[in-house]
Amino acid sequence: MVQPSELEIAGDEGYIIRSVFFDNRPVTIIAANKSKGVLYGIFHFFRLIQNRQAIDKLSIQSKPRIQKRLLNHWDNLNGSVERGYAGKSIWNWEKLPVEVDPRYKDYARVNASIGINGTVLNNVNSQAEILTKGYISKAAAIASVLRPYGIQIYFSIKFISPMEIGGLSTADPFDPHVRRWWKEKAQQIYQQIPDFGGFLVKAYSEGQPGPQIYGRTHADGANMLAEALSPYGGIVMWRSFVYDLSIDSDRTKCGYLEFVPLDGQFATNVLIQSKNGPVDFQPREPINPLFGAMPKTPIMMELQITQEYTGQSNHLVYLAPQWKEVLDSDTFSKGPGTLVAEIVDGSAENHTLSGIAGVSGIGTDRNWMGHHFSQANWYAFGRLAWDPAFTSGQIAEEWIRMTWSNDPKTIGVIAKMMAGSWEACVDYMTPLGLHHLMAAGHHYGPGPDYVNPGRADWSSTYYHKADSQGIGFDRSSKGTNGVGQYAEPLRRLWDSPVTCPEKYLLWFHHLPWTHQMSSGKTLWQELRLHYKRGVEAVGIMQKTWDSLEGRIDQQRFDHVKARLEMQLENAREWRDVCLEYFGRFAESPNSGHDR
Ligand code: GCU
């Protein structure tokens, strides 16, 4: 029925589902090497049933392409969630370990059903307290609920924890006392949580301390932690989200400049965790140039499920198309056909360790994510982590069938809304390669005129550089040469405004308002068109949703309807504020543009 040799390639997490006859009766076999594989196989089988697929002639073989498939909670120990839009943290630290919320089991099942196998419990802007005995016991209680579902827990750690909670006078990674402190800490953790996954580290970034304080490198810091965790099989996920402008005045170049020279210096249980793009989860960014640039180091990809810059829990924005655009991008790092997905799954360089992380949008809200449609992003993250080759349409259809309805009309209508929602958001927020136009602090609405008095790179004006001459950030070889961090032919293609894809145009080029676009229109006309199109698309989404009244339950219908109304209002605001602001330059007497 299923030969042991067939299971060889299934690994620890894969499975085979097969319809066979046994004793003259039709049966379904779900076979795997480990219990985790059976678990995933069963969820696959449930999915088929929920999707109303035939289950009498099954012949399925599946295994995940990426090894570590993690959620990253940006949850603080006081119960708040950084960039969380769905209530409070689900981790009730006050009541743990005595009271264990029954929701943790639901959380575990939901995540296991989409193949998530790890979760970082606390914010990357970490507090040292997570490593105290009390919190380790609390975390151990969570771990025991997640364990049967194949989910390991991880901590974000603060680099100077040995000083803050260990009584040491330094956190220098070369100091023997510091090294011993981390080793003892690891031992303490593993005593209580034998399958603990490891540490996530935000170091020397946005005020977080790092090894640089002591003149050491990222590799020195990461390797010290790796040494402490390695006896237990733990890993270190060291983030490349750094932008020290003393290294380069173009923020997008900083991560690459700091990390590429360290390639080959990291211990074997270290992954570098890099955001999809070089800035910060903007509605659209070109790929992070680090993908493909550090062949000796496994690069993990960090995506953002919580919609910090894409309307938070008020806008319907299905992010799978954004993630697919990144995963399917060719880095050309080893010649044509070296996709980001192949860097991330480790196959491009034969890495045995690979990983992907999604910044969670989960909170205490009854619907977990604030917006019913935000759940689609959680679902899509898990599915793409399992196999980046799945299409966003296929994932959307599965989710719609399981969440809303199996009625073909309903599926078609919702699928269409979801498919165009991300591009619509890009259009009404940051079209044609614009980025970082949001208001300061909350990052919700438009703020193209925002200037941070202390930091240029936290100002919108730093990114769009609009003036009467034109708009856009010149990262071409004549500007900051940000394009120089990409492999050929990307470097050459993106270097010229003629061959640069228009979706990235103002990311790489500063162009006159009169610049002629491929449509024959001027840049200013085209920009206006995009903003207008974005708003119109939301209007269409709204009407489309209204056509579903009566086909889905009233409560969820009303929830989405109310949010779409707000989304339309917000999209109009983005359009009006941005066009009014840019218009001041584009239509000024010396812009060269007809008024
Ligand atoms: C963004 C976000 C911060 C977060 C940071 C990070 O800048 O706004 O809240 O801490 O990313 O990823 O570290």
Side-chain angles (χ1 to χ4, degrees), residues 129-145:
E129 287 70 25
I130 190 75
L131 293 175
T132 56
K133 270 194 182 149
Y135 275 97
I136 296 172
S137 306
K138 291 167 190 282
I142 299 176
S144 61
V145 181

Side-chain angles (χ1 to χ4, degrees), residues 74 82-83 123-125 202 205-206 239 241 243 251 275 280-281 302 304 308-309 443:
W74 285 358
E82 181 154 344
R83 313 302 176 191
N123 193 355
V124 284
N125 297 316
K202 173 174 178 177
S205 165
E206 297 186 336
R239 296 174 91 224
F241 180 65
Y243 52 105
R251 170 171 168 179
K275 293 188 181 184
D280 188 9
F281 302 134
E302 181 178 310
Q304 196 179 44
E308 176 178 359
Y309 299 103
H443 295 172

Side-chain angles (χ1 to χ4, degrees), residues 63-69 271-272 291-292 297-301 327-328 331 337-357 384-390:
K63 69 170 177 176
R65 268 176 59 186
I66 302 173
Q67 212 187 339
K68 309 282 179 188
R69 305 177 299 280
L271 298 112
I272 298 304
F291 293 113
T297 316
I299 307 287
M300 216 170 145
M301 178 145 79
L327 290 163
D328 292 347
T331 64
T338 322
L339 305 189
V340 170
E342 291 158 347
I343 305 289
V344 175
D345 75 10
S347 60
E349 301 293 346
N350 289 320
H351 287 302
T352 45
L353 198 54
S354 61
I356 188 164
L384 289 174
W386 186 271
D387 190 345
F390 292 147

Side-chain angles (χ1 to χ4, degrees), residues 252-298:
T252 62
K253 291 169 66 187
C254 296
Y256 180 103
L257 290 172
E258 275 200 51
F259 278 87
V260 170
L262 300 175
D263 191 27
Q265 293 183 29
F266 290 97
T268 50
N269 55 335
V270 176
L271 298 112
I272 298 304
Q273 182 166 314
S274 299
K275 293 188 181 184
N276 54 280
V279 173
D280 188 9
F281 302 134
Q282 291 301 294
R284 171 179 264 140
E285 297 190 28
I287 57 171
N288 193 322
L290 273 172
F291 293 113
M294 294 182 68
K296 296 188 185 120
T297 316

